[in-house]
Amino acid sequence: MAAAPQRPEKDLAALSRIRGAAIVAMVGAAASAAISVVLSTGGYLRFAPTTTTTLPTFTSMFLFIFLGVELAAFAALVASFELYREGFVELRDVDTRFSSSPTFALLAMIGFVILAVGLLVLLLALYNIVSCAGHTLPIPLGCLQLGTLLGGVALAGIGGIVALIGVIGTLVAIWRLGERYAESLFKVGAILLIIPFLNIVGQILIFVAARGATSRIQQHPGPGFAPSFLAPPPPMR
């Protein structure tokens, strides 16, 4: 069977969403890192027990600021995976290697939400325990909320597993972007996304790679566009 004609408009649409995903992820990660550094170095989030018989105290106002910024960063993370998903949807019509990639990105988003709900349940349970105990140790048995704590742990665990599967599948898809467009920066960026504190660098590399691929497609428009950017085959002897 003859190969289907190339559709560069699909690649341009996909790369546009990939660039957007990288930008949104960078902004969210930068905000999260900045608020963590500012508040922790300033001592606002530091737990400081006054005696050995009291529970730690903290500045609740700055804790809520921290949680608010982290919530915004979480929303940015989910939005970035949605943009990745949309980009993979465009590509799966022209490249079967991306047929399951949108599903993995969707799994990552679902896992993130379940994980966030589980962590929120845990935080609320811990807050209620501290409020009930009145900052005294040992914590009275009547203040313990074992059911809520276990429910939060279960949700966080399930969400973490689902998110991990989705993230791995998404990273594989980003790696395949490097193969499709012959852009090694996609592959390097996918690897750096795994490493804590280097994920921002990884997103920058993905953005640069997507912009470079877009530029090359725009320079060679039309159905004759070769998506893999491979060198032409050697002449027959």
mmCIF file with all atom_site columns, all heavy atoms in Angstrom, residues 181-192:
data_model
loop_
_atom_site.group_PDB
_atom_site.id
_atom_site.type_symbol
_atom_site.label_atom_id
_atom_site.label_alt_id
_atom_site.label_comp_id
_atom_site.label_asym_id
_atom_site.label_entity_id
_atom_site.label_seq_id
_atom_site.pdbx_PDB_ins_code
_atom_site.Cartn_x
_atom_site.Cartn_y
_atom_site.Cartn_z
_atom_site.occupancy
_atom_site.B_iso_or_equiv
_atom_site.pdbx_formal_charge
_atom_site.auth_seq_id
_atom_site.auth_comp_id
_atom_site.auth_asym_id
_atom_site.auth_atom_id
_atom_site.pdbx_PDB_model_num
ATOM 1  N N   . TYR A 1 181 ? 11.015 14.139 14.629 1.00 0.00 ? 181 TYR A N   1
ATOM 2  C CA  . TYR A 1 181 ? 11.534 15.396 14.095 1.00 0.00 ? 181 TYR A CA  1
ATOM 3  C C   . TYR A 1 181 ? 13.060 15.468 14.091 1.00 0.00 ? 181 TYR A C   1
ATOM 4  O O   . TYR A 1 181 ? 13.613 16.519 13.807 1.00 0.00 ? 181 TYR A O   1
ATOM 5  C CB  . TYR A 1 181 ? 10.961 16.565 14.903 1.00 0.00 ? 181 TYR A CB  1
ATOM 6  C CG  . TYR A 1 181 ? 9.453  16.624 14.855 1.00 0.00 ? 181 TYR A CG  1
ATOM 7  C CD1 . TYR A 1 181 ? 8.691  16.314 15.973 1.00 0.00 ? 181 TYR A CD1 1
ATOM 8  C CD2 . TYR A 1 181 ? 8.794  16.949 13.671 1.00 0.00 ? 181 TYR A CD2 1
ATOM 9  C CE1 . TYR A 1 181 ? 7.305  16.351 15.930 1.00 0.00 ? 181 TYR A CE1 1
ATOM 10 C CE2 . TYR A 1 181 ? 7.412  16.987 13.619 1.00 0.00 ? 181 TYR A CE2 1
ATOM 11 C CZ  . TYR A 1 181 ? 6.673  16.689 14.755 1.00 0.00 ? 181 TYR A CZ  1
ATOM 12 O OH  . TYR A 1 181 ? 5.309  16.715 14.692 1.00 0.00 ? 181 TYR A OH  1
ATOM 13 N N   . ALA A 1 182 ? 13.713 14.359 14.421 1.00 0.00 ? 182 ALA A N   1
ATOM 14 C CA  . ALA A 1 182 ? 15.182 14.322 14.461 1.00 0.00 ? 182 ALA A CA  1
ATOM 15 C C   . ALA A 1 182 ? 15.731 15.451 15.326 1.00 0.00 ? 182 ALA A C   1
ATOM 16 O O   . ALA A 1 182 ? 16.694 16.139 14.980 1.00 0.00 ? 182 ALA A O   1
ATOM 17 C CB  . ALA A 1 182 ? 15.755 14.393 13.047 1.00 0.00 ? 182 ALA A CB  1
ATOM 18 N N   . GLU A 1 183 ? 15.092 15.667 16.477 1.00 0.00 ? 183 GLU A N   1
ATOM 19 C CA  . GLU A 1 183 ? 15.495 16.699 17.433 1.00 0.00 ? 183 GLU A CA  1
ATOM 20 C C   . GLU A 1 183 ? 15.915 16.011 18.723 1.00 0.00 ? 183 GLU A C   1
ATOM 21 O O   . GLU A 1 183 ? 15.073 15.561 19.509 1.00 0.00 ? 183 GLU A O   1
ATOM 22 C CB  . GLU A 1 183 ? 14.337 17.669 17.704 1.00 0.00 ? 183 GLU A CB  1
ATOM 23 C CG  . GLU A 1 183 ? 14.063 18.675 16.599 1.00 0.00 ? 183 GLU A CG  1
ATOM 24 C CD  . GLU A 1 183 ? 15.039 19.847 16.631 1.00 0.00 ? 183 GLU A CD  1
ATOM 25 O OE1 . GLU A 1 183 ? 15.921 19.856 17.515 1.00 0.00 ? 183 GLU A OE1 1
ATOM 26 O OE2 . GLU A 1 183 ? 14.905 20.735 15.776 1.00 0.00 ? 183 GLU A OE2 1
ATOM 27 N N   . SER A 1 184 ? 17.217 15.925 18.964 1.00 0.00 ? 184 SER A N   1
ATOM 28 C CA  . SER A 1 184 ? 17.710 15.240 20.159 1.00 0.00 ? 184 SER A CA  1
ATOM 29 C C   . SER A 1 184 ? 17.325 15.965 21.446 1.00 0.00 ? 184 SER A C   1
ATOM 30 O O   . SER A 1 184 ? 17.282 15.350 22.515 1.00 0.00 ? 184 SER A O   1
ATOM 31 C CB  . SER A 1 184 ? 19.227 15.084 20.095 1.00 0.00 ? 184 SER A CB  1
ATOM 32 O OG  . SER A 1 184 ? 19.865 16.351 19.994 1.00 0.00 ? 184 SER A OG  1
ATOM 33 N N   . LEU A 1 185 ? 17.027 17.266 21.345 1.00 0.00 ? 185 LEU A N   1
ATOM 34 C CA  . LEU A 1 185 ? 16.652 18.009 22.549 1.00 0.00 ? 185 LEU A CA  1
ATOM 35 C C   . LEU A 1 185 ? 15.359 17.485 23.151 1.00 0.00 ? 185 LEU A C   1
ATOM 36 O O   . LEU A 1 185 ? 15.151 17.585 24.367 1.00 0.00 ? 185 LEU A O   1
ATOM 37 C CB  . LEU A 1 185 ? 16.516 19.507 22.229 1.00 0.00 ? 185 LEU A CB  1
ATOM 38 C CG  . LEU A 1 185 ? 17.818 20.253 21.929 1.00 0.00 ? 185 LEU A CG  1
ATOM 39 C CD1 . LEU A 1 185 ? 17.528 21.727 21.681 1.00 0.00 ? 185 LEU A CD1 1
ATOM 40 C CD2 . LEU A 1 185 ? 18.807 20.095 23.080 1.00 0.00 ? 185 LEU A CD2 1
ATOM 41 N N   . PHE A 1 186 ? 14.475 16.943 22.324 1.00 0.00 ? 186 PHE A N   1
ATOM 42 C CA  . PHE A 1 186 ? 13.267 16.315 22.865 1.00 0.00 ? 186 PHE A CA  1
ATOM 43 C C   . PHE A 1 186 ? 13.648 15.167 23.797 1.00 0.00 ? 186 PHE A C   1
ATOM 44 O O   . PHE A 1 186 ? 13.087 15.012 24.890 1.00 0.00 ? 186 PHE A O   1
ATOM 45 C CB  . PHE A 1 186 ? 12.383 15.787 21.736 1.00 0.00 ? 186 PHE A CB  1
ATOM 46 C CG  . PHE A 1 186 ? 11.479 16.813 21.118 1.00 0.00 ? 186 PHE A CG  1
ATOM 47 C CD1 . PHE A 1 186 ? 11.547 17.075 19.762 1.00 0.00 ? 186 PHE A CD1 1
ATOM 48 C CD2 . PHE A 1 186 ? 10.557 17.509 21.882 1.00 0.00 ? 186 PHE A CD2 1
ATOM 49 C CE1 . PHE A 1 186 ? 10.709 18.012 19.178 1.00 0.00 ? 186 PHE A CE1 1
ATOM 50 C CE2 . PHE A 1 186 ? 9.718  18.453 21.313 1.00 0.00 ? 186 PHE A CE2 1
ATOM 51 C CZ  . PHE A 1 186 ? 9.795  18.702 19.949 1.00 0.00 ? 186 PHE A CZ  1
ATOM 52 N N   . LYS A 1 187 ? 14.596 14.353 23.363 1.00 0.00 ? 187 LYS A N   1
ATOM 53 C CA  . LYS A 1 187 ? 15.001 13.193 24.151 1.00 0.00 ? 187 LYS A CA  1
ATOM 54 C C   . LYS A 1 187 ? 15.707 13.615 25.435 1.00 0.00 ? 187 LYS A C   1
ATOM 55 O O   . LYS A 1 187 ? 15.450 13.068 26.512 1.00 0.00 ? 187 LYS A O   1
ATOM 56 C CB  . LYS A 1 187 ? 15.903 12.290 23.315 1.00 0.00 ? 187 LYS A CB  1
ATOM 57 C CG  . LYS A 1 187 ? 15.228 11.733 22.072 1.00 0.00 ? 187 LYS A CG  1
ATOM 58 C CD  . LYS A 1 187 ? 16.152 10.821 21.289 1.00 0.00 ? 187 LYS A CD  1
ATOM 59 C CE  . LYS A 1 187 ? 15.454 10.237 20.073 1.00 0.00 ? 187 LYS A CE  1
ATOM 60 N NZ  . LYS A 1 187 ? 16.319 9.327  19.296 1.00 0.00 ? 187 LYS A NZ  1
ATOM 61 N N   . VAL A 1 188 ? 16.594 14.605 25.324 1.00 0.00 ? 188 VAL A N   1
ATOM 62 C CA  . VAL A 1 188 ? 17.282 15.104 26.521 1.00 0.00 ? 188 VAL A CA  1
ATOM 63 C C   . VAL A 1 188 ? 16.276 15.711 27.491 1.00 0.00 ? 188 VAL A C   1
ATOM 64 O O   . VAL A 1 188 ? 16.346 15.505 28.706 1.00 0.00 ? 188 VAL A O   1
ATOM 65 C CB  . VAL A 1 188 ? 18.357 16.133 26.139 1.00 0.00 ? 188 VAL A CB  1
ATOM 66 C CG1 . VAL A 1 188 ? 19.026 16.702 27.384 1.00 0.00 ? 188 VAL A CG1 1
ATOM 67 C CG2 . VAL A 1 188 ? 19.399 15.504 25.226 1.00 0.00 ? 188 VAL A CG2 1
ATOM 68 N N   . GLY A 1 189 ? 15.315 16.468 26.956 1.00 0.00 ? 189 GLY A N   1
ATOM 69 C CA  . GLY A 1 189 ? 14.294 17.073 27.804 1.00 0.00 ? 189 GLY A CA  1
ATOM 70 C C   . GLY A 1 189 ? 13.458 16.035 28.510 1.00 0.00 ? 189 GLY A C   1
ATOM 71 O O   . GLY A 1 189 ? 13.142 16.183 29.698 1.00 0.00 ? 189 GLY A O   1
ATOM 72 N N   . ALA A 1 190 ? 13.102 14.951 27.813 1.00 0.00 ? 190 ALA A N   1
ATOM 73 C CA  . ALA A 1 190 ? 12.314 13.891 28.437 1.00 0.00 ? 190 ALA A CA  1
ATOM 74 C C   . ALA A 1 190 ? 13.078 13.261 29.599 1.00 0.00 ? 190 ALA A C   1
ATOM 75 O O   . ALA A 1 190 ? 12.494 12.940 30.639 1.00 0.00 ? 190 ALA A O   1
ATOM 76 C CB  . ALA A 1 190 ? 11.960 12.824 27.397 1.00 0.00 ? 190 ALA A CB  1
ATOM 77 N N   . ILE A 1 191 ? 14.387 13.089 29.439 1.00 0.00 ? 191 ILE A N   1
ATOM 78 C CA  . ILE A 1 191 ? 15.204 12.514 30.520 1.00 0.00 ? 191 ILE A CA  1
ATOM 79 C C   . ILE A 1 191 ? 15.273 13.465 31.707 1.00 0.00 ? 191 ILE A C   1
ATOM 80 O O   . ILE A 1 191 ? 15.132 13.064 32.867 1.00 0.00 ? 191 ILE A O   1
ATOM 81 C CB  . ILE A 1 191 ? 16.610 12.185 30.001 1.00 0.00 ? 191 ILE A CB  1
ATOM 82 C CG1 . ILE A 1 191 ? 16.549 11.070 28.954 1.00 0.00 ? 191 ILE A CG1 1
ATOM 83 C CG2 . ILE A 1 191 ? 17.531 11.775 31.150 1.00 0.00 ? 191 ILE A CG2 1
ATOM 84 C CD1 . ILE A 1 191 ? 17.860 10.786 28.274 1.00 0.00 ? 191 ILE A CD1 1
ATOM 85 N N   . LEU A 1 192 ? 15.458 14.765 31.428 1.00 0.00 ? 192 LEU A N   1
ATOM 86 C CA  . LEU A 1 192 ? 15.586 15.742 32.515 1.00 0.00 ? 192 LEU A CA  1
ATOM 87 C C   . LEU A 1 192 ? 14.285 15.915 33.287 1.00 0.00 ? 192 LEU A C   1
ATOM 88 O O   . LEU A 1 192 ? 14.317 16.302 34.466 1.00 0.00 ? 192 LEU A O   1
ATOM 89 C CB  . LEU A 1 192 ? 16.050 17.091 31.958 1.00 0.00 ? 192 LEU A CB  1
ATOM 90 C CG  . LEU A 1 192 ? 17.474 17.133 31.406 1.00 0.00 ? 192 LEU A CG  1
ATOM 91 C CD1 . LEU A 1 192 ? 17.815 18.530 30.912 1.00 0.00 ? 192 LEU A CD1 1
ATOM 92 C CD2 . LEU A 1 192 ? 18.479 16.687 32.468 1.00 0.00 ? 192 LEU A CD2 1
#
